[in-house]
Amino acid sequence: MIVAGRARGVRARLGLKTCALLAIGAAGCAQVPVLQGVAEVEANRAVAALDQAGIAARKEADEGGGTGGPQFRVVVGTEEVARSVTVLHGHGLPRREEPGFAESYGAQPSLVQSASEERARSAQSVAGELARTLESMDGVLDARVHVALASAEDRPLDGRDAPRPTASVLLRHIGARSPIDEGAIRRLVAASVVTMRADDVSVVTVSRPPPTAGEARLSYVGPIAVARGSASTLRAVLAGSIAVNVALAAGLAFMALRKRKDDDEPEGDAKR
């Protein structure tokens, strides 16, 4: 009975030690969000960009992301937060969502719209759709489009033709050369606005060096090489496993010694 009670006490202490070690291991696996409240397509882009840079990232549903469709967040290890932010900034993520036709005309309009207000909403929607089209092309990080529509009020009194609508495009891209020819951009924009010509479109391109990809930045935990973001997790798991095994071995040895001592006591009493 005494041995059984002591064995239960040892097992209870070992259980508490094991839970504490598991809690330490869980702390070593902490994840921190670097993007929150974004659409799934933006979360997928972020995970892909981080993966190319050798950073382990995971996409999760963001319950507190607000309304307007499913929202997601991207989490990484605590050691990779700073580098993740740098990588996402280098890829221009998350991209800004420009309002298109659905957003501009889906909102509640004023009861009485003036001609200038209607013209401004139309220009905003056309610019938003053009920006989305340009950003969908490979190599484009960000696109801003501004459209200025002419009105009948702008017609000169001397009978000359009214000024044509104009547009300007600011394009940020990866690499030294723009992935889209400036002439093609002008034709694309001009074809989207009535009476606009390609000469009425101004294009400014800004290049950004391509972000470093495939740089895993390995760390070594003994003879094992792992990604730097997984090194702390592996250390915590190994340390926890070793500590649990040591605690179990010590407990078993203690129980064996106590049992041997208890077995030797009756023999000593019988000899006396």
Side-chain angles (χ1 to χ4, degrees):
M1 296 294 292
I2 296 176
V3 175
R6 289 173 177 170
R8 285 195 296 270
V10 171
R11 286 196 294 269
R13 288 193 295 271
L14 290 177
L16 292 175
K17 292 179 180 178
T18 302
C19 292
L21 293 170
L22 290 176
I24 294 173
C29 305
Q31 300 283 300
V32 178
V34 291
L35 278 186
Q36 298 186 73
V38 298
E40 186 173 14
V41 62
E42 290 299 309
N44 291 336
R45 288 184 181 131
V47 171
L50 294 172
D51 181 70
Q52 290 177 358
I55 300 175
R58 187 175 71 253
K59 177 185 71 175
E60 298 178 347
D62 191 359
E63 301 297 338
T67 59
Q71 302 291 311
F72 294 84
R73 65 179 182 177
V74 177
V75 297
V76 300
T78 53
E79 293 183 352
E80 296 289 359
V81 173
R83 195 159 71 95
S84 299
V85 172
T86 302
V87 170
L88 293 177
H89 179 71
H91 284 81
L93 297 172
R95 293 181 175 179
R96 181 184 58 257
E97 188 71 18
E98 296 290 347
F101 282 103
E103 292 79 12
S104 297
Y105 288 94
Q108 183 67 28
S110 58
L111 295 178
V112 179
Q113 283 188 312
S114 63
S116 59
E117 183 180 2
E118 179 64 25
R119 186 167 62 253
R121 288 165 63 91
S122 177
Q124 181 186 36
S125 60
V126 171
E129 295 293 340
L130 287 170
R132 292 179 182 180
T133 301
L134 293 173
E135 289 177 350
S136 66
M137 300 181 181
D138 293 337
V140 176
L141 294 175
D142 183 54
R144 295 291 300 272
V145 180
H146 302 275
V147 176
L149 299 178
S151 67
E153 300 173 356
D154 299 328
R155 182 182 298 276
L157 298 178
D158 57 5
R160 290 180 299 173
D161 294 336
R164 293 192 303 271
T166 59
S168 58
V169 179
L170 175 62
L171 192 75
R172 292 194 307 142
H173 59 86
I174 299 176
R177 296 186 58 184
S178 173
I180 316 172
D181 181 68
E182 290 189 10
I185 297 176
R186 290 190 177 94
R187 290 191 296 272
L188 173 66
V189 175
S192 303
V193 181
V194 179
T195 71
M196 182 180 290
R197 301 175 184 175
D199 295 339
D200 300 326
V201 182
S202 300
V203 179
V204 177
T205 59
V206 180
S207 63
R208 172 168 291 181
T212 57
E215 188 178 347
R217 295 194 181 186
L218 298 179
S219 296
Y220 287 87
V221 181
I224 305 174
V226 296
R228 193 176 68 173
S230 303
S232 59
T233 302
L234 180 59
R235 291 193 191 98
V237 171
L238 291 177
S241 300
I242 293 172
V244 169
N245 290 330
V246 170
L248 288 174
L252 292 175
F254 175 78
M255 293 172 61
L257 289 174
R258 295 298 302 175
K259 186 176 185 304
R260 181 179 297 178
K261 183 178 179 180
D262 292 339
D263 290 343
D264 291 342
E265 286 180 357
E267 295 180 2
D269 295 340
K271 289 179 180 179
R272 286 196 299 267

